[in-house]
Amino acid sequence: MFKQYELPYAFSSLEPHIDELTMETHYTKHHAAYTNNLNAALEKDASLKDKSIEEILSSLSSIKDEGVRTAVRNNGGGYYNHNLYFSILSPEAVTKPAGDLLAQIEADFGSFDQLKEKLASLAATRFGSGWAWLSATKDGKLIASSSPNQDNPLMDDASLTPILGIDVWEHAYYLKYKNLRGDYVNAFWNVVDWNAVSKLYNNR
Ligand code: MN3
């Protein structure tokens, strides 16, 4: 049974950048539903029972039943993606990277500002619902990408570790930002905790 990441902060604590009602709805409705639906899908395939979510997603194509595979893609993706999303946000965010991660950002993107611009651009140009990602290869190189729906860079690829995800589904921002996805992404940087992102980078 997969369980939702437990939030160490209050729904209201990311105000004014991400509003309380969005956080509460996102966590208690959307993320909860992905988690419940993932657990229900896994009941139908005993071979998935003792695997981690990373193992399941990185070998998604090996799920034989198409209905189970689609349910795991959508809900296992949603489960994993939101665990990551909520775990890198913090009301006490360290808003700049440092150390090895900063050095690699400068090597791969030029500067931290250029990385943020790249991710904002990927977030803005992802048509419809999806995510923008920063992922690390095993040897530490950084890759920026985006994906539709609840897909992520782990799917059928065990070589990448996502370390930051920007949820650009409307449910992540519409109550406060309406159609202004770019304003949400600008505000998002105020609550991304680069200490948490760094830990994921170092543990890749
Ligand atoms: Mn979401």
Side-chain angles (χ1 to χ4, degrees):
M1 276 275 278
F2 287 104
K3 289 199 178 122
Q4 274 178 274
Y5 170 77
E6 284 185 38
L7 290 190
Y9 50 83
F11 296 128
S12 62
S13 66
L14 304 182
E15 295 263 11
H17 310 294
I18 303 181
D19 62 284
E20 180 176 12
L21 184 58
T22 294
M23 282 296 292
E24 182 175 3
T25 310
H26 205 173
Y27 184 82
T28 68
K29 308 290 184 194
H30 295 275
H31 189 18
Y34 293 124
T35 306
N36 292 337
N37 291 338
L38 169 64
N39 285 325
L42 297 180
E43 295 277 309
K44 295 173 188 159
D45 185 338
S47 74
L48 301 173
K49 215 167 164 260
D50 298 315
K51 290 186 174 174
S52 69
I53 190 63
E54 290 85 356
E55 288 169 326
I56 291 170
L57 295 178
S58 61
S59 59
L60 191 63
S61 298
S62 69
I63 300 174
K64 290 195 176 63
D65 183 89
E66 192 185 343
V68 174
R69 190 168 63 245
T70 300
V72 171
R73 177 176 211 122
N74 292 337
N75 297 288
Y79 168 76
Y80 175 90
N81 297 349
H82 288 87
N83 273 2
L84 175 66
Y85 179 82
F86 289 121
S87 74
I88 59 167
L89 299 179
S90 171
E92 284 133 31
V94 173
T95 56
K96 288 191 176 81
D100 290 348
L101 179 56
L102 178 60
Q104 194 64 43
I105 287 169
E106 289 171 348
D108 289 333
F109 298 97
S111 68
F112 178 47
D113 281 344
Q114 283 173 289
L115 168 66
K116 288 199 287 185
E117 277 168 33
K118 175 74 183 167
L119 289 171
S121 162
L122 287 163
T125 55
R126 166 52 52 195
F127 185 74
S129 298
W131 291 74
W133 300 102
L134 183 64
S135 305
T137 64
K138 298 292 175 223
D139 61 4
K141 194 176 159 43
L142 295 167
I143 313 264
S145 65
S146 77
S147 61
N149 306 315
Q150 295 296 352
D151 287 2
N152 65 44
L154 262 184
M155 287 182 178
D156 286 319
D157 187 349
S159 72
L160 291 178
T161 303
I163 60 172
L164 182 152
I166 310 175
D167 188 344
V168 296
W169 283 58
E170 287 184 343
H171 68 227
Y173 62 88
Y174 208 86
L175 293 177
K176 181 177 173 79
Y177 295 99
K178 305 295 186 288
N179 58 316
L180 302 177
R181 185 187 284 185
D183 287 1
Y184 153 70
V185 173
N186 285 340
F188 177 79
W189 298 122
N190 293 307
V191 288
V192 174
D193 182 19
W194 286 88
N195 269 356
V197 179
S198 247
K199 275 184 197 153
L200 294 169
Y201 179 72
N202 294 336
N203 293 335
R204 67 189 180 268

